[in-house]
Amino acid sequence: MKVILFFLYASLYLNCIEGAVTLPQNASVQAVIAFGDSLMDQGNNNHIKTIFKANFHPYGMDFTNGNPTGRFSNGKTLADFFAKGFGVKEYLPAYLDPLIQHKDLLTGVSFASGGAGYDPLTSKLSNVMSLSSQLEMFKQYIQKLKGNIGQEAAMNRITNSVFLVSAGTNDFLVNYFTFPMRRLQYDVPAYGNKLVKLASNFLQEIHKLGARRIVVFSTSAIGCIPIERTLAGGAQRICVDKYNKAAQFFNSMLKLELQVLASNLPQTRIAFSDFYKPLMNIIENPQQYGLEVTNRGCCGTGELETSYLCNKRMTRTCHNDSNFFFWDSLHPTEKGCDIFVNLVLPDMMKKLF
Ligand SMILES: *[C@@H]1O[C@H](CO)[C@@H](O)[C@H](O)[C@H]1NC(C)=O
Ligand SMILES: *[C@@H]1O[C@H](CO)[C@@H](O)[C@H](O)[C@H]1NC(C)=O
């Protein structure tokens, strides 16, 4: 008895030093819940009216049976590889999938909607589900879980879930740098600050609903995404410095805010997952990762086609997408996702547990 008490006190004491986190250190991840944009959309957009869809060929050509599922990839997405990396399951389903079953809900779903952003205007411009509608679906999901396994077991599951949040890219690329509304209201630092506040509010909302281990992805090197090289990178299709600078500014503000938030939210781990540096590293050193092409996608010319423009009439689609980081002009291939998750998972585990 004394020995047990000693360990109990010792571990409480150690946990205090670490910032009052008393979440079980070795708890297994019971579910993965994803929010945000097309990097995490597992097919939700199939069920809404928007042009941002990926439920037709050649999307999904390397998926089981070669079926397009609405994932913005030739196969699996980042969300799938994270679900597997956390030891939960091979495929993270879309919450709106009509074939979804009780047992699928237990181990997590994605609420993400391709085209969404932190800024509600971004989701509105793309006619997709904003983070606040995603939050409403999450509340509905919690009610379903409670109905299935009871209040306590449901909340226990939420506590032991990992939450993935991916947004920000569309706020800059689809909204700020494409339409004039936000540019007239904000310069880049002010808009970045607005996005960080919106991100923080969203994270506090999911925390209120029970989220305790949260991964927030930074924006990537958005100026090096193939479509942006084509539209704004000149004849050489170089990375667009202005976009990368905006991403870097936003990311550094986001990182600071997450540190503040984590210290204010009891019993919560928030991991900032940098997408910028790993992507830059892959783009600049493809061979190191077993890749050949990182400046254009595989679908069609790879320089412009995404969503409806990447379709089965594309004749120039590359022969082997395993050599490409990008699948279409915006989204990574299954191989790219695999490489990225392997690169960031160890550090993420350290930050979450
Ligand atoms: C955590 O570790 C303790 C001690 O090794 C063990 O008793 C407990 O079952 C573990 N919990 C989980 C969820 O793995
Ligand atoms: C595609 O490329 C990968 C990696 O370079 C290689 O392992 C694989 O055999 C190739 N597949 C085909 C069909 O050429």
Side-chain angles (χ1 to χ4, degrees):
M1 188 63 180
K2 267 184 196 153
V3 175
I4 293 173
L5 274 180
F6 171 76
F7 277 113
L8 187 63
Y9 283 125
S11 86
L12 282 176
Y13 177 68
L14 286 173
N15 281 327
C16 282
I17 293 178
E18 284 187 333
V21 170
T22 50
L23 287 165
Q25 293 298 304
N26 62 341
S28 63
V29 180
Q30 297 192 6
V32 171
I33 310 274
F35 293 100
D37 56 25
S38 53
L39 292 179
M40 302 277 150
D41 186 344
Q42 308 293 90
N44 286 316
N45 277 12
N46 301 356
H47 308 286
I48 62 170
K49 274 199 182 126
T50 174
I51 59 159
F52 288 85
K53 289 184 196 250
N55 55 345
F56 37 80
H57 289 290
Y59 285 101
M61 62 181 271
D62 299 307
F63 207 77
T64 42
N65 307 323
N67 282 337
T69 60
R71 285 168 170 80
F72 290 78
S73 166
N74 58 305
K76 297 203 262 178
T77 62
L78 291 173
D80 293 314
F81 283 107
F82 279 117
K84 187 169 183 213
F86 288 122
V88 174
K89 54 184 166 186
E90 191 87 15
Y91 303 103
L92 192 70
Y95 178 65
L96 294 184
D97 182 346
L99 297 177
I100 203 162
Q101 296 174 1
H102 287 331
K103 65 173 183 359
D104 302 318
L105 294 183
L106 285 178
T107 46
V109 293
S110 169
F111 301 100
S113 177
Y118 287 119
D119 183 350
L121 176 63
T122 306
S123 314
K124 207 170 163 190
L125 288 169
S126 310
N127 208 12
V128 299
M129 292 181 289
S130 63
L131 283 181
S132 51
S133 355
Q134 296 181 28
L135 199 64
E136 289 310 308
M137 290 193 286
F138 178 46
K139 289 179 187 165
Q140 196 186 62
Y141 164 87
I142 295 175
Q143 290 314 316
K144 283 187 189 166
L145 263 195
K146 286 180 178 171
N148 290 343
I149 57 174
Q151 170 111 2
E152 203 182 319
M155 289 325 291
N156 197 29
R157 247 172 204 275
I158 302 288
T159 306
N160 290 301
S161 298
V162 170
F163 288 75
L164 307 173
V165 181
S166 160
T169 299
N170 296 319
D171 294 309
F172 284 107
L173 295 183
V174 176
N175 186 349
Y176 190 86
F177 289 118
T178 305
F179 290 92
M181 291 82 90
R182 291 305 189 220
R183 277 206 310 281
L184 292 171
Q185 292 174 291
Y186 305 95
D187 57 12
V188 167
Y191 189 58
N193 268 316
K194 176 189 164 79
L195 295 180
V196 166
K197 283 212 191 76
L198 289 164
S200 176
N201 291 343
F202 178 74
L203 298 173
Q204 291 174 57
E205 290 295 330
I206 60 172
H207 177 265
K208 269 189 229 155
L209 294 169
R212 293 296 177 268
R213 297 187 205 272
I214 308 171
V215 179
V216 183
F217 297 96
S218 83
T219 51
S220 70
I222 58 177
C224 300
I225 293 175
I227 192 169
E228 303 305 330
R229 288 176 185 260
T230 306
L231 296 176
Q236 303 299 314
R237 299 185 63 251
I238 57 170
C239 295
V240 187
D241 197 44
K242 185 168 75 165
Y243 299 173
N244 279 347
K245 288 234 167 68
Q248 281 175 307
F249 177 83
F250 168 73
N251 291 345
S252 57
M253 298 297 298
L254 180 66
K255 191 174 177 181
L256 282 178
E257 175 63 24
L258 296 185
Q259 280 163 1
V260 174
L261 199 56
S263 63
N264 288 336
L265 297 177
Q267 308 242 337
T268 303
R269 290 282 176 108
I270 301 181
F272 170 84
S273 181
D274 184 30
F275 205 145
Y276 191 101
K277 260 182 260 126
L279 180 67
M280 222 40 183
N281 202 350
I282 294 169
I283 286 175
E284 286 169 357
N285 311 287
Q287 322 80 332
Q288 202 178 310
Y289 297 94
L291 296 169
E292 284 171 13
V293 184
T294 55
N295 67 352
R296 63 186 166 89
C298 169
C299 186
T301 63
E303 299 186 352
L304 206 59
E305 299 89 338
T306 186
S307 191
Y308 273 112
L309 295 178
C310 166
N311 57 53
K312 63 174 187 294
R313 287 185 300 279
M314 293 295 110
T315 48
R316 290 174 60 192
T317 296
C318 73
H319 293 299
N320 191 345
D321 53 38
S322 299
N323 301 324
F324 282 66
F325 181 80
F326 288 100
W327 160 246
D328 63 13
S329 66
L330 263 172
H331 305 101
T333 53
E334 172 173 305
K335 182 72 186 291
C337 292
D338 191 11
I339 291 170
F340 179 78
V341 172
N342 275 314
L343 208 54
V344 303
L345 198 60
D347 179 55
M348 191 179 286
M349 292 303 254
K350 268 191 234 144
K351 288 176 179 165
L352 285 177
F353 295 95

